[in-house]
Amino acid sequence: MVDRLSRKTPQNQRLTVCSGAQKSGTSWLYDVLSTHPEVDGGSCKELDFFSHRFDRGYAWFNKQFSGDQPVWLDVSPSYLYDADSPRRLGQAGLD
């Protein structure tokens, strides 16, 4: 069985990932997008799951979101610099 992102609610959550460079406005983007009623900004701006915290597993990642909003937002500049992040994102089972 492949460990992939799971759906927490009957609705189809969509994961939106921003891997912008540091000091390029990612905090502003996160602040603006996470105020939208359909966006769940997670427990913090830089979850860094697909880079520094991948060893915690998808269950940990899914718990960072409430599951109530249809769009999950992960703004983590580390994805731009981490060599494993593109592969991990590609294998996550995302649309």
Side-chain angles (χ1 to χ4, degrees), residues 32-95:
V32 170
L33 292 177
S34 64
T35 62
H36 191 281
E38 294 185 5
V39 175
D40 183 342
S43 61
C44 64
K45 175 188 159 235
E46 297 182 26
L47 291 173
D48 294 322
F49 172 70
F50 292 99
S51 56
H52 308 304
R53 296 186 178 113
F54 194 72
D55 61 329
R56 296 184 183 190
Y58 287 101
W60 176 87
F61 182 74
N62 290 340
K63 288 178 186 175
Q64 305 311 303
F65 300 94
S66 69
D68 297 335
Q69 293 90 351
V71 178
W72 290 358
L73 177 64
D74 180 2
V75 178
S76 297
S78 65
Y79 299 162
L80 186 63
Y81 305 106
D82 182 80
D84 294 322
S85 292
R87 177 181 48 80
R88 290 171 176 165
L89 281 159
Q91 294 174 343
L94 305 172
D95 294 338

Side-chain angles (χ1 to χ4, degrees), residues 8-38:
K8 293 177 65 175
T9 65
Q11 295 116 3
N12 251 347
Q13 276 87 9
R14 297 282 182 178
L15 176 62
T16 301
V17 175
C18 173
S19 61
Q22 294 175 341
K23 303 297 179 189
S24 65
T26 56
S27 292
W28 175 84
L29 181 66
Y30 174 82
D31 290 343
V32 170
L33 292 177
S34 64
T35 62
H36 191 281
E38 294 185 5

